[in-house]
Amino acid sequence: MSSDTQKTFFIETFGCQMNFHDSEKVAGSLVSQGYRQVQSVEDADLIFYNTCSIRDKAEQKVFHRLTDFKRLQKQGKQFAVIGCVAQQEGERIFERAPHVSLVAGSASYNRLPEMLVQIAHGQRATGLDDRQTEDTFETDFTARVNPHRGYITIIEGCDKFCAYCVVPYTRGRERSRTSESVLEEARKIVESGLTEVQLLGQNVNSYQDPLGKHTFASLLAEVGRVPGIRRVRFTTSHPRHFTREIVQAIDEVPTLCDHVHLPVQSGSSRVLAAMNREYTREQYLERIAWMKSARRSIAITTDIIVGFPGETEAEFEETLSLMDEVGFDGIFSFKYSPRPNTPALTMENAIPEEEKTRRLAVLNDRQKEIQRASYQRFVGQVLETMVEGARRPLGQLPGRTSQNKPLNFTLPEGAPEPPVGSYVPVRVTRAHPNSLVGEMCPVSTACVVS
Ligand code: 5AD
Ligand code: SF4
């Protein structure tokens, strides 16, 4: 615990990039209130636990952890549970873990300063009741953790209500930030010395500029034109709102990374309809065709759920055939996990756990083969690589290509170690199913412009 009068906090984060970036903003907000961030539970007066409830038994895990923390209460520490489990479980958290002082969902983080005053006075604070807010959560100071990438939330919440997903219930309705504040934040990130930004939202391409100046695609292009920016990424896109304009922007603005993450979830139009995804297999493939006919070679990654209620073997095979047809550069694959409050929870014909496990293994094996073959095409190419960390014990440096592929590389004899966040040309020498390996070239070497 802190020895001086300045209160300290520790924050632990689970879940998606949105959650990690929320924690950076929550930390910034606490620092503005005079708190100091520390790196261990032991050193903290206030412990924040930023939770995720997208899959598995996340709620149980949170309650277990809180039970472990109970002994720390005797040392005068306070506990705050924020994020999706906080929003989902609400006041039940106080009942099951009475040592918790603050429970807040992401749509209430604007009110953190007043909630901190409440708990400092020994009262309980809750931020659960305003998910219908129009506000976005913005802070003057963001405690950025990532040493080479600045995250910018452009849209919060989700209005899509996919049948399996808790997000619309935990993060509330969609609300977009103004294009002016997004561009201002991009400029600030450049001033702070970073050259890579990632636009974030549960559904970035549903973006609606409250100023009416920009579409998602034109905002993306505008961020890419901010002086000093070298790489712009964005996640996550929804196929329903994925436009040709986005592909054109990637073709026209070289700083936009040649990578799109476009979750498909299933290759069967029947399952997609049951999931309430608002597109068919054919419409998804049409968007893929737009990307494949772009001038640049755009890497495409996706999310897939296996074992959604009622998914037949033939429908599962449609997902496999879609994977063959697209040739994804990477997938995140999940077994369907029943979530509280969602329509899929009460759907018939649940798929047994062993069958879900089998389908997941088949899917992952198939994808491994696809990547094993397709990553070979990079061997011999020189790719512009961002240095993402310091040299590891075995001599490799971790890097990443514009297409978002990890490219770990060695340095030629005697070459000085390039700093984190710099860009170097790397010749690819080997390909693994999930990453590339190479050696740095002299800085003047021309890179492949995809
Ligand atoms: N079960 C399994 N996977 C899920 N996802 C979201 N909700 C569930 C669920 N209930 C997956 C989707 C989404 C990714 C972020 O998590 O594939 O795109
Ligand atoms: Fe969940 Fe669907 Fe919204 Fe994505 S688009 S966050 S899967 S409801």
Side-chain angles (χ1 to χ4, degrees), residues 256-289:
L256 303 189
C257 287
D258 37 12
H259 168 224
V260 170
H261 183 66
L262 196 64
V264 65
Q265 315 298 1
S266 167
S268 148
S269 293
R270 211 264 328 143
V271 175
L272 289 170
M275 287 177 164
N276 193 27
R277 287 291 291 177
E278 300 181 355
Y279 56 85
T280 60
R281 176 189 174 101
E282 290 67 35
Q283 285 165 331
Y284 184 85
L285 288 173
E286 188 185 18
R287 277 133 188 88
I288 298 294

mmCIF file of all heavy atoms in Angstrom, residues 256-289:
data_model
loop_
_atom_site.group_PDB
_atom_site.id
_atom_site.type_symbol
_atom_site.label_atom_id
_atom_site.label_comp_id
_atom_site.label_asym_id
_atom_site.label_seq_id
_atom_site.Cartn_x
_atom_site.Cartn_y
_atom_site.Cartn_z
ATOM 1 N N LEU A 256 -3.013 3.069 -44.578
ATOM 2 C CA LEU A 256 -4.020 2.121 -44.078
ATOM 3 C C LEU A 256 -3.454 0.714 -44.266
ATOM 4 O O LEU A 256 -3.012 0.359 -45.363
ATOM 5 C CB LEU A 256 -5.350 2.263 -44.827
ATOM 6 C CG LEU A 256 -5.998 3.647 -44.801
ATOM 7 C CD1 LEU A 256 -7.410 3.591 -45.383
ATOM 8 C CD2 LEU A 256 -6.058 4.223 -43.392
ATOM 9 N N CYS A 257 -3.437 -0.075 -43.207
ATOM 10 C CA CYS A 257 -2.852 -1.411 -43.301
ATOM 11 C C CYS A 257 -3.679 -2.288 -44.228
ATOM 12 O O CYS A 257 -4.909 -2.145 -44.302
ATOM 13 C CB CYS A 257 -2.759 -2.041 -41.914
ATOM 14 S SG CYS A 257 -1.465 -1.275 -40.935
ATOM 15 N N ASP A 258 -2.976 -3.197 -44.914
ATOM 16 C CA ASP A 258 -3.682 -4.066 -45.860
ATOM 17 C C ASP A 258 -4.171 -5.326 -45.135
ATOM 18 O O ASP A 258 -3.728 -6.433 -45.412
ATOM 19 C CB ASP A 258 -2.815 -4.400 -47.082
ATOM 20 C CG ASP A 258 -1.361 -4.576 -46.728
ATOM 21 O OD1 ASP A 258 -1.047 -4.672 -45.521
ATOM 22 O OD2 ASP A 258 -0.526 -4.637 -47.645
ATOM 23 N N HIS A 259 -5.051 -5.076 -44.190
ATOM 24 C CA HIS A 259 -5.623 -6.177 -43.409
ATOM 25 C C HIS A 259 -7.042 -5.797 -42.973
ATOM 26 O O HIS A 259 -7.261 -4.692 -42.485
ATOM 27 C CB HIS A 259 -4.769 -6.432 -42.157
ATOM 28 C CG HIS A 259 -5.450 -7.334 -41.171
ATOM 29 N ND1 HIS A 259 -5.470 -7.091 -39.814
ATOM 30 C CD2 HIS A 259 -6.173 -8.466 -41.344
ATOM 31 C CE1 HIS A 259 -6.146 -8.044 -39.194
ATOM 32 N NE2 HIS A 259 -6.588 -8.884 -40.108
ATOM 33 N N VAL A 260 -7.964 -6.730 -43.178
ATOM 34 C CA VAL A 260 -9.341 -6.510 -42.699
ATOM 35 C C VAL A 260 -9.766 -7.718 -41.877
ATOM 36 O O VAL A 260 -9.617 -8.868 -42.316
ATOM 37 C CB VAL A 260 -10.318 -6.309 -43.888
ATOM 38 C CG1 VAL A 260 -11.761 -6.324 -43.407
ATOM 39 C CG2 VAL A 260 -10.011 -5.012 -44.621
ATOM 40 N N HIS A 261 -10.277 -7.447 -40.674
ATOM 41 C CA HIS A 261 -10.837 -8.520 -39.852
ATOM 42 C C HIS A 261 -12.351 -8.469 -40.033
ATOM 43 O O HIS A 261 -12.988 -7.489 -39.652
ATOM 44 C CB HIS A 261 -10.455 -8.311 -38.381
ATOM 45 C CG HIS A 261 -10.940 -9.421 -37.501
ATOM 46 N ND1 HIS A 261 -10.470 -10.705 -37.610
ATOM 47 C CD2 HIS A 261 -11.867 -9.442 -36.509
ATOM 48 C CE1 HIS A 261 -11.081 -11.480 -36.723
ATOM 49 N NE2 HIS A 261 -11.936 -10.742 -36.049
ATOM 50 N N LEU A 262 -12.895 -9.512 -40.659
ATOM 51 C CA LEU A 262 -14.327 -9.496 -40.992
ATOM 52 C C LEU A 262 -14.972 -10.795 -40.487
ATOM 53 O O LEU A 262 -14.981 -11.819 -41.193
ATOM 54 C CB LEU A 262 -14.489 -9.355 -42.518
ATOM 55 C CG LEU A 262 -15.864 -8.938 -43.006
ATOM 56 C CD1 LEU A 262 -16.224 -7.530 -42.530
ATOM 57 C CD2 LEU A 262 -15.925 -8.964 -44.539
ATOM 58 N N PRO A 263 -15.507 -10.765 -39.258
ATOM 59 C CA PRO A 263 -16.053 -12.007 -38.682
ATOM 60 C C PRO A 263 -17.212 -12.569 -39.508
ATOM 61 O O PRO A 263 -18.163 -11.852 -39.808
ATOM 62 C CB PRO A 263 -16.544 -11.558 -37.290
ATOM 63 C CG PRO A 263 -15.721 -10.359 -36.975
ATOM 64 C CD PRO A 263 -15.545 -9.662 -38.297
ATOM 65 N N VAL A 264 -17.093 -13.849 -39.861
ATOM 66 C CA VAL A 264 -18.171 -14.475 -40.647
ATOM 67 C C VAL A 264 -19.097 -15.278 -39.739
ATOM 68 O O VAL A 264 -20.276 -15.390 -39.985
ATOM 69 C CB VAL A 264 -17.604 -15.334 -41.796
ATOM 70 C CG1 VAL A 264 -16.813 -16.524 -41.299
ATOM 71 C CG2 VAL A 264 -18.702 -15.795 -42.730
ATOM 72 N N GLN A 265 -18.540 -15.909 -38.703
ATOM 73 C CA GLN A 265 -19.251 -16.734 -37.700
ATOM 74 C C GLN A 265 -19.702 -18.086 -38.236
ATOM 75 O O GLN A 265 -19.578 -19.088 -37.546
ATOM 76 C CB GLN A 265 -20.452 -15.997 -37.064
ATOM 77 C CG GLN A 265 -20.193 -14.565 -36.640
ATOM 78 C CD GLN A 265 -19.132 -14.371 -35.555
ATOM 79 O OE1 GLN A 265 -18.534 -15.343 -35.106
ATOM 80 N NE2 GLN A 265 -18.881 -13.140 -35.162
ATOM 81 N N SER A 266 -20.257 -18.142 -39.455
ATOM 82 C CA SER A 266 -20.676 -19.430 -40.018
ATOM 83 C C SER A 266 -20.708 -19.317 -41.539
ATOM 84 O O SER A 266 -20.930 -18.230 -42.078
ATOM 85 C CB SER A 266 -22.075 -19.796 -39.504
ATOM 86 O OG SER A 266 -22.604 -20.872 -40.272
ATOM 87 N N GLY A 267 -20.513 -20.464 -42.207
ATOM 88 C CA GLY A 267 -20.585 -20.460 -43.669
ATOM 89 C C GLY A 267 -21.952 -20.865 -44.178
ATOM 90 O O GLY A 267 -22.161 -21.001 -45.390
ATOM 91 N N SER A 268 -22.912 -21.064 -43.272
ATOM 92 C CA SER A 268 -24.246 -21.512 -43.679
ATOM 93 C C SER A 268 -25.247 -20.363 -43.551
ATOM 94 O O SER A 268 -25.393 -19.780 -42.459
ATOM 95 C CB SER A 268 -24.677 -22.675 -42.780
ATOM 96 O OG SER A 268 -26.078 -22.668 -42.582
ATOM 97 N N SER A 269 -25.946 -20.067 -44.634
ATOM 98 C CA SER A 269 -26.925 -18.962 -44.589
ATOM 99 C C SER A 269 -28.040 -19.266 -43.586
ATOM 100 O O SER A 269 -28.563 -18.363 -42.939
ATOM 101 C CB SER A 269 -27.536 -18.732 -45.973
ATOM 102 O OG SER A 269 -26.542 -18.249 -46.831
ATOM 103 N N ARG A 270 -28.390 -20.543 -43.411
ATOM 104 C CA ARG A 270 -29.436 -20.887 -42.446
ATOM 105 C C ARG A 270 -28.971 -20.552 -41.021
ATOM 106 O O ARG A 270 -29.677 -19.918 -40.245
ATOM 107 C CB ARG A 270 -29.759 -22.398 -42.558
ATOM 108 C CG ARG A 270 -31.153 -22.815 -42.244
ATOM 109 C CD ARG A 270 -31.488 -23.313 -40.845
ATOM 110 N NE ARG A 270 -30.498 -24.021 -40.083
ATOM 111 C CZ ARG A 270 -30.372 -23.879 -38.766
ATOM 112 N NH1 ARG A 270 -31.159 -23.074 -38.080
ATOM 113 N NH2 ARG A 270 -29.440 -24.547 -38.111
ATOM 114 N N VAL A 271 -27.746 -20.930 -40.711
ATOM 115 C CA VAL A 271 -27.216 -20.636 -39.370
ATOM 116 C C VAL A 271 -27.041 -19.122 -39.197
ATOM 117 O O VAL A 271 -27.370 -18.567 -38.144
ATOM 118 C CB VAL A 271 -25.884 -21.386 -39.119
ATOM 119 C CG1 VAL A 271 -25.263 -20.987 -37.784
ATOM 120 C CG2 VAL A 271 -26.110 -22.899 -39.166
ATOM 121 N N LEU A 272 -26.575 -18.452 -40.236
ATOM 122 C CA LEU A 272 -26.398 -16.992 -40.138
ATOM 123 C C LEU A 272 -27.725 -16.304 -39.824
ATOM 124 O O LEU A 272 -27.778 -15.373 -39.020
ATOM 125 C CB LEU A 272 -25.799 -16.425 -41.435
ATOM 126 C CG LEU A 272 -24.326 -16.774 -41.672
ATOM 127 C CD1 LEU A 272 -23.901 -16.380 -43.089
ATOM 128 C CD2 LEU A 272 -23.425 -16.097 -40.635
ATOM 129 N N ALA A 273 -28.803 -16.797 -40.448
ATOM 130 C CA ALA A 273 -30.125 -16.204 -40.180
ATOM 131 C C ALA A 273 -30.524 -16.485 -38.728
ATOM 132 O O ALA A 273 -31.006 -15.599 -38.014
ATOM 133 C CB ALA A 273 -31.168 -16.757 -41.147
ATOM 134 N N ALA A 274 -30.275 -17.709 -38.262
ATOM 135 C CA ALA A 274 -30.613 -18.051 -36.873
ATOM 136 C C ALA A 274 -29.783 -17.213 -35.897
ATOM 137 O O ALA A 274 -30.228 -16.882 -34.801
ATOM 138 C CB ALA A 274 -30.377 -19.547 -36.625
ATOM 139 N N MET A 275 -28.579 -16.857 -36.314
ATOM 140 C CA MET A 275 -27.707 -16.016 -35.474
ATOM 141 C C MET A 275 -28.097 -14.541 -35.556
ATOM 142 O O MET A 275 -27.516 -13.720 -34.844
ATOM 143 C CB MET A 275 -26.245 -16.138 -35.944
ATOM 144 C CG MET A 275 -25.564 -17.434 -35.618
ATOM 145 S SD MET A 275 -23.882 -17.393 -36.351
ATOM 146 C CE MET A 275 -23.094 -18.736 -35.472
ATOM 147 N N ASN A 276 -28.990 -14.216 -36.465
ATOM 148 C CA ASN A 276 -29.392 -12.814 -36.678
ATOM 149 C C ASN A 276 -28.224 -11.956 -37.164
ATOM 150 O O ASN A 276 -28.046 -10.819 -36.731
ATOM 151 C CB ASN A 276 -29.968 -12.226 -35.373
ATOM 152 C CG ASN A 276 -30.677 -10.910 -35.614
ATOM 153 O OD1 ASN A 276 -31.180 -10.661 -36.709
ATOM 154 N ND2 ASN A 276 -30.695 -10.042 -34.607
ATOM 155 N N ARG A 277 -27.438 -12.517 -38.086
ATOM 156 C CA ARG A 277 -26.256 -11.795 -38.547
ATOM 157 C C ARG A 277 -26.565 -10.800 -39.675
ATOM 158 O O ARG A 277 -25.705 -10.003 -40.046
ATOM 159 C CB ARG A 277 -25.190 -12.790 -39.015
ATOM 160 C CG ARG A 277 -24.521 -13.528 -37.891
ATOM 161 C CD ARG A 277 -23.637 -12.636 -37.054
ATOM 162 N NE ARG A 277 -22.445 -12.181 -37.757
ATOM 163 C CZ ARG A 277 -21.556 -11.333 -37.235
ATOM 164 N NH1 ARG A 277 -21.747 -10.814 -36.038
ATOM 165 N NH2 ARG A 277 -20.500 -10.980 -37.915
ATOM 166 N N GLU A 278 -27.716 -10.875 -40.275
ATOM 167 C CA GLU A 278 -28.145 -9.894 -41.296
ATOM 168 C C GLU A 278 -27.345 -9.951 -42.603
ATOM 169 O O GLU A 278 -27.205 -8.953 -43.300
ATOM 170 C CB GLU A 278 -28.095 -8.467 -40.739
ATOM 171 C CG GLU A 278 -28.997 -8.279 -39.530
ATOM 172 C CD GLU A 278 -28.965 -6.844 -39.001
ATOM 173 O OE1 GLU A 278 -28.180 -6.026 -39.513
ATOM 174 O OE2 GLU A 278 -29.733 -6.559 -38.075
ATOM 175 N N TYR A 279 -26.747 -11.111 -42.916
ATOM 176 C CA TYR A 279 -26.157 -11.308 -44.249
ATOM 177 C C TYR A 279 -26.158 -12.801 -44.533
ATOM 178 O O TYR A 279 -26.287 -13.625 -43.611
ATOM 179 C CB TYR A 279 -24.715 -10.753 -44.354
ATOM 180 C CG TYR A 279 -23.775 -11.322 -43.309
ATOM 181 C CD1 TYR A 279 -23.120 -12.540 -43.500
ATOM 182 C CD2 TYR A 279 -23.577 -10.653 -42.101
ATOM 183 C CE1 TYR A 279 -22.285 -13.060 -42.525
ATOM 184 C CE2 TYR A 279 -22.743 -11.184 -41.120
ATOM 185 C CZ TYR A 279 -22.110 -12.387 -41.341
ATOM 186 O OH TYR A 279 -21.299 -12.917 -40.366
ATOM 187 N N THR A 280 -26.045 -13.137 -45.829
ATOM 188 C CA THR A 280 -25.984 -14.542 -46.219
ATOM 189 C C THR A 280 -24.540 -14.905 -46.564
ATOM 190 O O THR A 280 -23.676 -14.029 -46.675
ATOM 191 C CB THR A 280 -26.832 -14.774 -47.486
ATOM 192 O OG1 THR A 280 -26.278 -13.929 -48.519
ATOM 193 C CG2 THR A 280 -28.300 -14.435 -47.268
ATOM 194 N N ARG A 281 -24.338 -16.186 -46.761
ATOM 195 C CA ARG A 281 -23.015 -16.653 -47.223
ATOM 196 C C ARG A 281 -22.604 -15.903 -48.488
ATOM 197 O O ARG A 281 -21.478 -15.432 -48.618
ATOM 198 C CB ARG A 281 -23.115 -18.163 -47.494
ATOM 199 C CG ARG A 281 -21.866 -18.787 -48.077
ATOM 200 C CD ARG A 281 -22.161 -20.226 -48.517
ATOM 201 N NE ARG A 281 -21.017 -20.813 -49.200
ATOM 202 C CZ ARG A 281 -20.160 -21.662 -48.622
ATOM 203 N NH1 ARG A 281 -20.313 -22.024 -47.377
ATOM 204 N NH2 ARG A 281 -19.145 -22.160 -49.305
ATOM 205 N N GLU A 282 -23.563 -15.772 -49.423
ATOM 206 C CA GLU A 282 -23.245 -15.152 -50.716
ATOM 207 C C GLU A 282 -22.853 -13.679 -50.529
ATOM 208 O O GLU A 282 -21.934 -13.182 -51.173
ATOM 209 C CB GLU A 282 -24.438 -15.251 -51.678
ATOM 210 C CG GLU A 282 -24.716 -16.667 -52.175
ATOM 211 C CD GLU A 282 -25.204 -17.633 -51.072
ATOM 212 O OE1 GLU A 282 -25.939 -17.183 -50.150
ATOM 213 O OE2 GLU A 282 -24.833 -18.824 -51.120
ATOM 214 N N GLN A 283 -23.589 -12.991 -49.644
ATOM 215 C CA GLN A 283 -23.253 -11.574 -49.421
ATOM 216 C C GLN A 283 -21.879 -11.429 -48.772
ATOM 217 O O GLN A 283 -21.124 -10.510 -49.086
ATOM 218 C CB GLN A 283 -24.329 -10.899 -48.557
ATOM 219 C CG GLN A 283 -25.594 -10.633 -49.355
ATOM 220 C CD GLN A 283 -26.779 -10.320 -48.445
ATOM 221 O OE1 GLN A 283 -26.865 -10.781 -47.301
ATOM 222 N NE2 GLN A 283 -27.716 -9.548 -48.968
ATOM 223 N N TYR A 284 -21.570 -12.361 -47.878
ATOM 224 C CA TYR A 284 -20.232 -12.317 -47.262
ATOM 225 C C TYR A 284 -19.175 -12.510 -48.356
ATOM 226 O O TYR A 284 -18.195 -11.759 -48.434
ATOM 227 C CB TYR A 284 -20.105 -13.395 -46.182
ATOM 228 C CG TYR A 284 -18.776 -13.320 -45.463
ATOM 229 C CD1 TYR A 284 -18.592 -12.455 -44.386
ATOM 230 C CD2 TYR A 284 -17.689 -14.086 -45.887
ATOM 231 C CE1 TYR A 284 -17.354 -12.351 -43.741
ATOM 232 C CE2 TYR A 284 -16.449 -13.991 -45.253
ATOM 233 C CZ TYR A 284 -16.291 -13.125 -44.185
ATOM 234 O OH TYR A 284 -15.066 -13.020 -43.555
ATOM 235 N N LEU A 285 -19.407 -13.507 -49.215
ATOM 236 C CA LEU A 285 -18.412 -13.795 -50.257
ATOM 237 C C LEU A 285 -18.290 -12.645 -51.256
ATOM 238 O O LEU A 285 -17.218 -12.413 -51.824
ATOM 239 C CB LEU A 285 -18.768 -15.105 -50.973
ATOM 240 C CG LEU A 285 -18.532 -16.354 -50.114
ATOM 241 C CD1 LEU A 285 -19.064 -17.612 -50.818
ATOM 242 C CD2 LEU A 285 -17.036 -16.531 -49.789
ATOM 243 N N GLU A 286 -19.363 -11.892 -51.427
ATOM 244 C CA GLU A 286 -19.305 -10.729 -52.312
ATOM 245 C C GLU A 286 -18.302 -9.699 -51.744
ATOM 246 O O GLU A 286 -17.483 -9.122 -52.465
ATOM 247 C CB GLU A 286 -20.703 -10.113 -52.407
ATOM 248 C CG GLU A 286 -20.819 -9.025 -53.430
ATOM 249 C CD GLU A 286 -22.197 -8.362 -53.412
ATOM 250 O OE1 GLU A 286 -22.936 -8.491 -52.413
ATOM 251 O OE2 GLU A 286 -22.509 -7.698 -54.408
ATOM 252 N N ARG A 287 -18.365 -9.497 -50.427
ATOM 253 C CA ARG A 287 -17.433 -8.545 -49.793
ATOM 254 C C ARG A 287 -15.980 -9.031 -49.910
ATOM 255 O O ARG A 287 -15.053 -8.250 -50.102
ATOM 256 C CB ARG A 287 -17.814 -8.330 -48.325
ATOM 257 C CG ARG A 287 -18.914 -7.291 -48.191
ATOM 258 C CD ARG A 287 -20.033 -7.719 -47.262
ATOM 259 N NE ARG A 287 -21.146 -6.779 -47.300
ATOM 260 C CZ ARG A 287 -22.163 -6.834 -48.166
ATOM 261 N NH1 ARG A 287 -22.209 -7.782 -49.110
ATOM 262 N NH2 ARG A 287 -23.131 -5.947 -48.128
ATOM 263 N N ILE A 288 -15.829 -10.357 -49.802
ATOM 264 C CA ILE A 288 -14.483 -10.931 -49.964
ATOM 265 C C ILE A 288 -13.983 -10.656 -51.388
ATOM 266 O O ILE A 288 -12.829 -10.288 -51.603
ATOM 267 C CB ILE A 288 -14.508 -12.460 -49.687
ATOM 268 C CG1 ILE A 288 -14.942 -12.736 -48.244
ATOM 269 C CG2 ILE A 288 -13.156 -13.111 -50.012
ATOM 270 C CD1 ILE A 288 -14.006 -12.262 -47.163
ATOM 271 N N ALA A 289 -14.903 -10.790 -52.355
ATOM 272 C CA ALA A 289 -14.510 -10.562 -53.760
ATOM 273 C C ALA A 289 -14.071 -9.102 -53.958
ATOM 274 O O ALA A 289 -13.114 -8.836 -54.689
ATOM 275 C CB ALA A 289 -15.675 -10.917 -54.688
#
